[in-house]
Amino acid sequence: MPVSAVDCVQPAIQHTREQLFTRFRFGQWTRLALVGILAGELHVGGCNFGNFGQLLSRPPKRSNEFMAAPFPHIDPARIAQFAGLIAVIVLLTIVLFFVFLYISSVFRFILFESVLRRECSIGEGWQRWHRTGKRFFLWQLVYVFSTWLFFGLLVGVPLFIAAAAGWFKDFKQHVAGMMGGLILLFGIVLIFALVAAVVQALAKDFLVPIMALEDLDFADGWSRLFGLMRGEPGKYAIYLLLKIVLAIAAAILFGIIAIVPALVVIIPIVISVVVGIAAGLTWNVATVSLAVIFGTVAFLVLAYLIALVSAPATVFFPAYAMYFFAARYPNLGALLNPVPAPPAPEAPPVLESPPLPSPPLPPSPEPIG
């Protein structure tokens, strides 16, 4: 009997407890934190270091100047001065995005195996799942470009129609139409974002196990998954809704815990910014480059520290997906809940045979004489 989404919560909690706490191993904990980041399981938000750059834009002339001008005037001539640096940063960001997308595709399988077998090995996992990860990377590319293209058309076509109709030239006469169009567009974008999030969740939770255990490409994997989902789509919908609730609860819990590592990283940055302002640093190529380098390092350190304290969530959510899917996918169920081998039959007792009678002694010779 397939278990419901609610029934899978307790086994996933027990799985997490056994893997991380029953046999606590600091090395595995740190490796799981790294795997969680590289698999894209950690979502770091709210860490915006851009405001610190505004504090370095120009030296203060009054003690309260940085509070009075949160959005300082930007000189176009100074922007042109940084045009080359901005272009390099944009190009590097795009390249790093696709590099990370490739790495995360492989590490998604490493995370799957680490949770399934309760043992994390990054080097061996990379060698084992590199080929399958490349197939999942192709799916990630299809997903990314499809969402970008669809979103561009979703926003660009209405704007083009509005511009062609002259709504932007005579805005006051078309306020009602513009507001109605914006509301409709917002609703369509919201629905599209929800569908995209559902597709991504299905890929991470269910497509990955199918590709891993059956050695399929992503097209055949999706076909196999749709065949499994066809019989009970409502239970999968309840699973996704419950996962959203659990994700919100986990974000609140580990967000509170993450305050400590966040302070460890942010306080030194704030002190450095204050010292830089007091020293009269200006916004030039050198300070921009240093800000980018140290800001990137600080972000990576902060992300890893948050992943370190959030390792239970990194294990729990893949385990939750496994226990739900294992009841519907026999290949996974056989590995997650192996049937114990029957005990070997006891050998029948060996009956000891009675001792054989000793052979009769030959008669002793009669004495002579």
Side-chain angles (χ1 to χ4, degrees):
M1 174 70 70
V3 294
S4 66
V6 178
D7 296 332
C8 299
V9 175
Q10 185 58 38
I13 294 175
Q14 182 64 26
H15 187 111
T16 305
R17 184 185 299 117
E18 292 176 356
Q19 182 167 359
L20 292 178
F21 298 99
T22 302
R23 287 193 308 141
F24 177 79
R25 290 168 291 172
F26 184 73
Q28 180 176 207
W29 196 296
T30 56
R31 289 193 297 272
L32 280 170
L34 180 60
V35 170
I37 293 177
L38 297 179
E41 193 67 21
L42 179 67
H43 303 282
V44 181
C47 300
N48 183 10
F49 299 100
N51 292 332
F52 294 116
Q54 295 178 358
L55 299 178
L56 294 175
S57 59
R58 50 180 176 160
K61 297 179 182 179
R62 298 186 303 273
S63 59
N64 60 347
E65 182 178 355
F66 69 97
M67 294 294 294
F71 298 101
H73 174 70
I74 300 176
D75 187 1
R78 302 192 68 182
I79 295 179
Q81 180 183 359
F82 302 115
L85 181 60
I86 293 173
V88 171
I89 293 175
V90 171
L91 180 61
L92 184 61
T93 302
I94 296 175
V95 172
L96 289 178
F97 171 79
F98 287 104
V99 170
F100 178 79
L101 193 66
Y102 176 77
I103 294 174
S104 68
S105 301
V106 181
F107 270 83
R108 174 56 56 179
F109 291 90
I110 298 177
L111 178 62
F112 167 73
E113 183 185 37
S114 300
V115 177
L116 178 63
R117 302 189 182 280
R118 296 179 172 87
E119 186 65 38
C120 182
S121 177
I122 296 178
E124 296 178 2
W126 180 270
Q127 295 178 358
R128 185 179 301 111
W129 298 111
H130 183 259
R131 187 170 64 91
T132 309
K134 287 194 294 185
R135 298 174 181 174
F136 192 69
F137 173 66
L138 294 178
W139 151 249
Q140 297 265 60
L141 290 178
V142 171
Y143 174 81
V144 168
F145 285 116
S146 299
T147 52
W148 286 358
L149 177 61
F150 189 81
F151 182 79
L153 293 175
L154 193 63
V155 177
V157 171
L159 291 178
F160 176 78
I161 295 175
W167 286 15
F168 296 109
K169 294 180 181 179
D170 195 0
F171 180 78
K172 293 182 179 180
Q173 294 184 1
H174 301 90
V175 173
M178 292 286 289
M179 293 300 297
L182 288 176
I183 294 174
L184 178 61
L185 181 62
F186 176 77
I188 296 175
V189 169
L190 188 62
I191 295 174
F192 168 70
L194 179 61
V195 172
V198 168
V199 171
Q200 184 71 351
L202 293 177
K204 293 194 303 182
D205 293 348
F206 306 135
L207 178 63
V208 165
I210 292 176
M211 294 180 64
L213 301 182
E214 297 190 32
D215 195 25
L216 300 176
D217 59 22
F218 70 87
D220 294 333
W222 276 115
S223 177
R224 182 85 166 94
L225 177 58
F226 290 151
L228 294 171
M229 294 177 60
R230 191 174 296 115
E232 44 184 3
K235 292 186 178 180
Y236 283 89
I238 294 174
Y239 163 83
L240 293 172
L241 291 175
L242 184 56
K243 185 175 181 180
I244 293 174
V245 174
L246 294 173
I248 294 174
I252 295 174
L253 174 61
F254 290 101
I256 296 173
I257 299 175
I259 292 176
V260 175
L263 292 177
V264 171
V265 176
I266 293 176
I267 289 177
I269 295 177
V270 173
I271 295 175
S272 301
V273 170
V274 173
V275 172
I277 293 175
L281 292 179
T282 58
W283 199 239
N284 51 49
V285 176
T287 53
V288 169
S289 302
L290 289 175
V292 170
I293 294 173
F294 285 104
T296 303
V297 172
F299 176 80
L300 294 177
V301 171
L302 178 59
Y304 182 75
L305 292 178
I306 293 177
L308 202 61
V309 300
S310 304
T314 302
V315 175
F316 169 79
F317 284 102
Y320 172 60
M322 288 179 192
Y323 280 97
F324 176 82
F325 197 45
R328 296 155 175 83
Y329 183 46
N331 294 19
L332 179 59
L335 295 175
L336 190 62
N337 300 304
V339 178
E346 297 182 358
V350 179
L351 299 178
E352 296 182 0
S353 57
L356 297 176
S358 302
L361 297 176
S364 57
E366 297 180 356
I368 301 175

